[in-house]
Amino acid sequence: MTTPSNSDQSLAPLLRTPSSSTLGSPSSQTSISDASDPKLRHKRRALRAVAFVVSIIAALCAGSITVFSLYGHLFQSRLHYTQFQINGIASAMSLSMYIPVPVIGYMCDRVGPGPLSFLASVLLGGGYGLAAGLYQKGLEEVSDGGKGGRTTFPPMIFAFVAIGVGTSCMYLGAITTCAKNFGKSKYRGLMMVAPIASFGLGGMVLSQIGSRILYETRPDGARGDVNVFHFFLFLCIVLAILGLIGTFTLRIVDEDDLIDEAVEELERSGLLEGSEIFRRRANRDYGAIDAVDDDAGVMDPARDDEDEVDNAMLKKTWLLNAETRRFLTDHTMWWFAVGFWLIIGPGEAFINNLGTVIGTLYSPSTKTNETSAATHVSIMATVSTVARLLAASLSDLLSPSPHSQHVQTGFPTTLPQLRQKLSVSRIVLFIAAAVIMSIGTLVLASGVVQEHGERFWIVSGSIGAGYGAVFSLTPIIITMIWGVENFGTNFGIVALSPALGSTMWGLIYSAVYQAGARDSPSLAEGADDDDVFCFGKQCYSSTFWAMTVCIWIGSVMVLWAWKGRNGWSKRGIVI
C-alpha cells in the first residue's frame, strides 16, 4: 500500500472527514456516487418534505401559547386572580419560553430536533393537563365561597412554566429543521419563515376553535366565553401526540455535508485557529497506516467506522463551539440583540394583556359597541401571519444574499455582482416593520380608541403586522450573517430578549393598571377591593407612550449595527 507524501497532506483540506478521503472505510466511499443516485436523491427529498410538513404543523400547534389573552381575563373574573397574578402567569410562561432557548438551541444543534420534540410532548401534555385540573379546582373553590387563586395560583405558575419550555422546544426544533434543510434553497428565507408564520397562524386557528367549538353556553343559549377546562384538555392531547410524531420525523438531512462545507469555507477565509488539532489527528492516522503490515490484508472495517464517527463528532463540536465564540464576540450582535429586545418587548406585553386592555375601553355601565378578545386575537394572528410571509418573500426577492449558507467573513469578493441590480436591505425592512408596530402603540396611547372599540382593529392590526415582520426577519438576518450550522444556539441567545421585554413591560402595565383602577367605577360603586377592574384611558396610556419611544430607540440601535462604526455595511457583510 502506498502512503501519501507530506506535500500531499499539506494540500488537503484540514478538516475533511473520512467520507471525503480515499482512506475512509468502504462504506464511506459512496459519498461521491450518492449525489448521482436517483433513489438516494428522492429519499432525501422525501425526508426533507416530511420534516417540513411536520415542522409546519408543530409550529402551528405551538402557537397555542399566543392565545393566552383568550382566557387570561377569565382567570380574573372566574378565579378572582388579580392583575398582578395574571401577569405573573404570563411572565412566567414568557420567561420559561425564552430563557432556556440558548440551552435548547445548543442541544438542537448538537443532538438534533427529534429529542427536543419528545421533550416538548412531555412538557406540553403535562403542562396543559395540569392547568386544566387546576382551573376546574379553582372554579369549585370559588363556587364554595373561597378564593380560587389562593391554592391554585402557585401550581398554575408551574404548569405554565412547563408549557413555556415545551413550546420553546417544539418551536425552535421546527425552525432549526427548516433553516438547515433548506439553507441552499433560492427561497431559503421563505422556507425558514414558514414555521414561524405557522406559529402566528396557530393563534388564529386555535382561538377560533376555542371560541366557536369549545365554548360555554349562556343561560339564554347563546355562545359565551371559551370553556377553559375543555380547551386545555384539547391542547394537552393534540400537543402530546404531535410531539411524539416529531420525535421520529424531525431530522437534519445531510448534516455531515453541511458541517464539511462550513469548515472548508472558514478554512479558506483563514478564520479557523484550531485546525492544527485535526492536522495532528490526520497525521496520526497516516502513521497508523504506515505501521500496518502489508501482509495483514485489509483494515478492520468496524474500527474504520468508529474512527469516522469520532472524527465527524469531533469536527462538529469544534466547529459549533468556534462559531459560538465568534458570534458572542461580534459587537454588532449585541447592538442588534438589545435593539430587538426594545422593539419586541412591547409587542409581547400587548399580546399577553390584550384582553384586559379591551376591558378598559368601556365602563361597566356602557355595553354598546364592545369588541371581544377572541376577535382581536384572530386579527393579530392573521395580520401577523401575512406580515411574516410577506417580509420573508420581500427578503428573498429584493434583498441581496450571500453565495453560501455559512458565516460571512466580510470579504468584499461578492460585492461587484451585488451591484448589478437594485436591492433593499433586510435592515430597511426590519426598521419599517418596527415603525408600523409603533403606530399601533401610538394610536392606543393617544386615547382615540377609548369608548370606540370599533377602532381597536387599527391597534391590533398595526402591532400584529409589525410584530410578525420583526420576528420573521430576525432569524433570517441571523442566518445571513452568522450562517445556519449554529443557528439554534445563535438564535437562542438573541431570543432571550423577548422574555426580558415581556416581563418588564408586563410589570409596568400592571402597575399603571392597578394605579388607574383606584379611580375606576368599580371602586366608586363600592365593589370588593379584591375585584379590582380598571376602566378608562388612565389604565394604559402612559404605558403605551413609553412603549412607542422604546420601539423607536430599538430601531436606531439596529440601524447603528448596520451603518455604525465597524458595522455590517462597513465590513462588507451582505444583508
Side-chain angles (χ1 to χ4, degrees):
M1 179 182 293
T2 59
T3 58
S5 64
N6 292 334
S7 60
D8 293 335
Q9 295 179 40
S10 63
L11 294 175
L14 299 180
L15 302 183
R16 198 180 285 273
T17 59
S19 63
S20 58
S21 168
T22 58
L23 298 173
S25 64
S27 62
S28 67
Q29 299 300 319
T30 60
S31 58
I32 298 177
S33 61
D34 285 351
S36 59
D37 191 330
K39 291 183 179 180
L40 286 176
R41 286 204 308 271
H42 291 321
K43 180 180 178 181
R44 288 169 179 170
R45 288 175 184 172
L47 290 174
R48 286 191 177 96
V50 171
F52 178 74
V53 171
V54 175
S55 296
I56 297 298
I57 299 175
L60 180 78
C61 294
S64 62
I65 201 170
T66 65
V67 299
F68 181 83
S69 56
L70 179 66
Y71 52 81
H73 64 288
L74 297 177
F75 286 171
Q76 186 179 37
S77 60
R78 305 287 176 80
L79 304 185
H80 295 180
Y81 284 10
T82 66
Q83 185 60 41
F84 272 112
Q85 287 178 316
I86 295 174
N87 267 287
I89 294 174
S91 296
M93 179 177 65
S94 181
L95 285 171
S96 62
M97 180 180 176
Y98 291 112
I99 292 296
V101 166
V103 177
I104 294 172
Y106 181 92
M107 292 169 56
C108 191
D109 286 332
R110 284 152 180 81
V111 303
L116 289 185
S117 184
F118 177 76
L119 180 60
S121 175
V122 175
L123 292 174
L124 289 172
Y128 277 115
L130 177 60
L134 291 172
Y135 183 84
Q136 192 69 15
K137 179 182 178 182
L139 290 179
E140 294 173 357
E141 290 181 354
V142 171
S143 65
D144 293 338
K147 295 290 184 181
R150 289 181 178 175
T151 60
T152 62
F153 178 68
M156 188 72 79
I157 288 283
F158 177 79
F160 276 88
V161 166
I163 292 170
V165 177
T167 299
S168 183
C169 291
M170 184 170 285
Y171 181 56
L172 192 58
I175 299 176
T176 303
T177 299
C178 293
K180 294 187 178 184
N181 279 340
F182 300 98
K184 294 181 180 180
S185 172
K186 179 181 178 181
Y187 301 104
R188 59 177 175 175
L190 186 59
M191 298 300 287
M192 183 178 67
V193 167
I196 300 176
S198 182
F199 182 83
L201 185 63
M204 182 193 72
V205 173
L206 294 173
S207 67
Q208 292 302 312
I209 291 175
S211 61
R212 297 182 180 275
I213 299 178
L214 302 174
Y215 59 86
E216 297 175 336
T217 303
R218 294 177 178 174
D220 59 358
R223 185 169 59 204
D225 290 307
V226 60
N227 188 311
V228 179
F229 177 70
H230 291 165
F231 188 59
F232 282 170
L233 284 182
F234 167 76
L235 294 176
C236 167
I237 296 170
V238 170
L239 290 169
I241 294 174
L242 185 59
L244 292 177
I245 294 174
T247 303
F248 303 101
T249 56
L250 294 180
R251 62 176 67 186
I252 310 302
V253 182
D254 293 333
E255 186 178 21
D256 289 342
D257 293 341
L258 175 69
I259 298 298
D260 285 342
E261 292 169 3
V263 168
E264 292 176 8
E265 183 82 14
L266 292 179
E267 276 188 325
R268 284 193 295 269
S269 69
L271 294 177
L272 293 184
E273 299 176 354
S275 306
E276 190 61 30
I277 298 174
F278 298 93
R279 188 188 296 279
R280 290 197 300 268
R281 188 181 183 95
N283 288 337
R284 186 167 67 249
D285 291 340
Y286 279 114
I289 295 172
D290 290 337
V292 174
D293 187 358
D294 291 338
D295 295 333
V298 297
M299 294 180 291
D300 182 8
R303 180 178 177 183
D304 292 339
D305 291 342
E306 183 179 348
D307 289 342
E308 181 177 352
V309 173
D310 289 344
N311 277 333
M313 291 301 298
L314 177 62
K315 179 194 296 187
K316 178 181 177 180
T317 301
W318 180 85
L319 173 70
L320 297 180
N321 289 343
E323 291 203 352
T324 301
R325 288 193 298 270
R326 179 178 174 82
F327 181 75
L328 291 174
T329 55
D330 188 340
H331 74 283
T332 59
M333 183 277 290
W334 294 104
W335 283 104
F336 179 71
V338 174
F340 179 64
W341 164 56
L342 294 175
I343 294 171
I344 213 67
E348 290 278 344
F350 176 79
I351 291 173
N352 291 335
N353 294 283
L354 187 149
T356 55
V357 170
I358 290 176
T360 65
L361 300 181
Y362 297 95
S363 66
S365 60
T366 306
K367 294 298 182 182
T368 59
N369 294 327
E370 277 195 295
T371 188
S372 67
T375 298
H376 290 280
V377 168
S378 297
I379 290 176
M380 283 199 65
T382 303
V383 174
S384 177
T385 300
V386 173
R388 292 171 201 249
L389 295 174
L390 180 62
S393 300
L394 293 176
S395 169
D396 287 333
L397 296 174
L398 301 181
S399 301
S401 296
H403 290 299
S404 80
Q405 58 182 325
H406 309 297
V407 58
Q408 292 193 56
T409 62
F411 293 168
T413 55
T414 61
L415 292 182
Q417 182 175 350
L418 294 174
R419 295 194 186 102
Q420 293 177 3
K421 64 177 182 178
L422 180 65
S423 61
V424 178
S425 172
R426 292 175 179 84
I427 305 303
V428 174
L429 299 177
F430 185 95
I431 294 175
V435 171
I436 292 173
M437 182 176 170
S438 70
I439 291 175
T441 58
L442 181 64
V443 169
L444 184 58
S446 66
V448 298
V449 299
Q450 187 64 37
E451 300 287 344
H452 292 282
E454 71 277 4
R455 302 174 183 171
F456 199 79
W457 67 268
I458 301 174
V459 178
S460 58
S462 298
I463 295 179
Y467 176 87
V470 166
F471 234 121
S472 172
L473 291 168
T474 297
I476 294 177
I477 291 172
I478 291 173
T479 58
M480 291 294 171
I481 299 176
W482 294 287
V484 302
E485 52 274 1
N486 202 42
F487 168 75
T489 304
N490 295 344
F491 181 64
I493 293 171
V494 175
L496 284 172
S497 305
L500 302 176
S502 174
T503 302
M504 180 183 75
W505 286 110
L507 292 174
I508 293 173
Y509 171 76
S510 296
V512 173
Y513 183 98
Q514 296 291 86
R518 300 189 185 99
D519 300 324
S520 293
S522 59
L523 291 184
E525 296 171 3
D528 188 352
D529 289 349
D530 289 334
D531 297 329
V532 179
F533 296 90
C534 187
F535 306 97
K537 180 180 173 181
Q538 76 278 3
C539 306
Y540 58 82
S541 181
S542 58
T543 300
F544 283 90
W545 276 119
M547 286 182 177
T548 303
V549 176
C550 182
I551 294 172
W552 292 343
I553 294 174
S555 301
V556 172
M557 297 186 72
V558 174
L559 181 64
W560 178 260
W562 179 37
K563 290 292 187 180
R565 182 178 179 182
N566 199 27
W568 299 323
S569 179
K570 301 291 180 63
R571 286 154 49 184
I573 299 295
V574 179
I575 190 59

